[in-house]
Amino acid sequence: MGATLTQRFDTGQFDGRYPYVRVGHGPETLLVIPGIGDAMFDGAYGRTDAVTTAATFRRFLADYTVYLVSRPRGLEDRQSIGAMARDYERVLADHVGAASVLGLSMGGLIGQELARERPDLVDRLVLGVSGCRIAESGRPLVRELHRLALEGEWTEIRARLYEAMFTGAWRRAVPLLSRTVGRVHPPNPADPRDVPISFEAVRDYDGTDRLADLESRTLVIGGTDDPFFPEGILRETYERLPDGQLAMFSGARHGAFLERKAGFDDWVERFLRGETATRVRQ
C-alpha cells in the first residue's frame, strides 16, 4: 500500500480494547457498528480490512470520516446489548466524538441503546437490517445458531447466516462455497465464548417499549423477507419512533445492505443529508 493509502486509512485499537478501521477524511463522522459476525473474527484489523471497508463505504467518504469499530474480545463481563452499548459510548466520548451511527443487524440493537442513553453523542441513527427485537419466526434459527456456537461450528454458522442473508442463486451458491472452499479459511474467533454470548444478547433483547425515548432522527431500513427483522418488525419499529423514516426492499432478506447495496446506500446517504422520506417499498 502506497503513501496515499497510508494517509487515508488507519487501523488500531482504542484503549487497547476496541479494534477499529478509519477510512476517509470527510468533515462529518459516521460510526459503523457491525453485526453478530464481529464475534467471529480474530480481533485485529489489517490493511486489507481497511481497503475492504473503504470500498464498502465509498459512497460516504467524500462527506464522512467513517469508523468501523468492533466490540472488545472477551464479552463475559458485558453480556447484554446495554452493556455493549456502553462500550460504544466510551469510544464516542473519548475518541471519536459525536457521530451519526449506522448499526447493522445486532449493531442496530446496540445503536438503539446507545442513542437512547446518549442522544448528545448520536446525531442520526440508521437501523440497518435491524429493528426493536428478533421476530418470533426467526427465533428457532437463532436458537440453532446458538447451539452451533456452543459446539464451535464456526463454518456452519457462517453458512447458515449466508442462507439467511441472500436470495436466488446467491442463496444457493454462497453457503455452498462457505461449506466447501470456505473451510480452508474458517472463521477464527479470538474468544470463542463471544459467539454464543452474542447470540444470547440478540435473543434476549427487546427494545420495543423504549423506542419512544429515542431522540435521534432514525432510519429503519431492511428487507421485507428478512428472517430476523421482517416487514412486520420494521414497520412496528418505525411506527413507535418519535422521529423515524422507513425504507424496505421487497423480497430482500437479511443481506439487503449487500444485495441491494446501491439502493441501500442511496437511502442512507439521503437520510444522513437530512432529506425527508416517506414509507417506501422497492
Side-chain angles (χ1 to χ4, degrees), residues 109-278:
L109 307 183
I110 295 169
Q112 291 172 59
E113 291 301 300
L114 171 62
R116 186 174 64 84
E117 291 294 331
R118 290 298 304 270
D120 58 311
L121 293 176
V122 180
D123 297 328
R124 291 175 183 266
L125 174 64
V126 179
L127 304 182
V129 293
S130 188
C132 55
R133 66 182 185 280
I134 290 284
E136 287 301 320
S137 58
R139 289 186 176 276
L141 178 54
V142 173
R143 288 194 294 270
E144 176 64 10
L145 292 169
H146 179 260
R147 181 188 67 79
L148 291 169
L150 292 174
E151 297 173 359
E153 296 287 348
W154 315 129
T155 300
E156 183 62 18
I157 290 171
R158 183 174 61 186
R160 297 284 185 95
L161 288 172
Y162 285 156
E163 289 172 348
M165 291 173 65
F166 298 117
T167 62
W170 279 39
R171 189 178 179 189
R172 296 186 295 274
V174 178
L176 177 62
L177 289 172
S178 178
R179 290 185 174 107
T180 54
V181 179
R183 288 191 176 277
V184 178
H185 296 289
N188 182 32
D191 189 331
R193 179 59 187 157
D194 287 351
V195 186
I197 286 175
S198 296
F199 282 116
E200 290 162 10
V202 169
R203 178 197 64 198
D204 295 342
Y205 181 80
D206 189 343
T208 307
D209 294 336
R210 298 190 295 278
L211 289 170
D213 298 329
L214 280 176
E215 298 180 16
S216 304
R217 177 165 290 181
T218 302
L219 171 66
V220 181
I221 180 169
T224 59
D225 294 355
D226 187 326
F228 305 116
F229 304 100
E231 180 174 351
I233 293 293
L234 299 178
R235 287 190 180 277
E236 180 180 2
T237 303
Y238 160 75
E239 289 166 356
R240 289 175 177 263
L241 289 168
D243 189 2
Q245 297 181 27
L246 174 66
M248 295 187 296
F249 296 91
S250 294
R253 291 169 63 80
H254 198 55
F257 64 100
L258 295 174
E259 276 198 321
R260 309 289 182 90
K261 181 170 175 52
F264 187 95
D265 287 354
D266 184 58
W267 273 103
V268 173
E269 185 179 35
R270 290 162 58 188
F271 170 76
L272 294 177
R273 285 202 306 259
E275 296 183 17
T276 301
T278 56

Side-chain angles (χ1 to χ4, degrees), residues 14-119:
F14 291 126
D15 297 331
R17 302 190 66 200
Y18 307 102
Y20 75 88
V21 175
R22 177 187 56 79
V23 294
H25 289 288
E28 304 295 328
T29 304
L30 178 64
L31 170 69
V32 180
I33 305 178
I36 207 160
D38 183 65
M40 292 199 296
F41 100 114
D42 60 14
Y45 287 116
R47 292 190 173 187
T48 300
D49 300 301
V51 172
T52 300
T53 302
T56 300
F57 297 103
R58 61 187 179 275
R59 282 277 295 271
F60 306 94
L61 298 187
D63 297 319
Y64 288 86
T65 299
V66 177
Y67 289 87
L68 171 64
V69 180
S70 286
R71 295 173 277 288
R73 305 301 94 179
L75 296 173
E76 292 270 13
D77 60 345
R78 46 175 53 78
Q79 298 188 16
S80 70
I81 293 296
M84 295 175 196
R86 288 189 286 276
D87 280 324
Y88 285 94
E89 177 185 336
R90 284 188 281 273
V91 168
L92 289 177
D94 297 343
H95 301 284
V96 175
S100 291
V101 174
L102 167 59
L104 294 169
S105 188
M106 178 182 179
L109 307 183
I110 295 169
Q112 291 172 59
E113 291 301 300
L114 171 62
R116 186 174 64 84
E117 291 294 331
R118 290 298 304 270

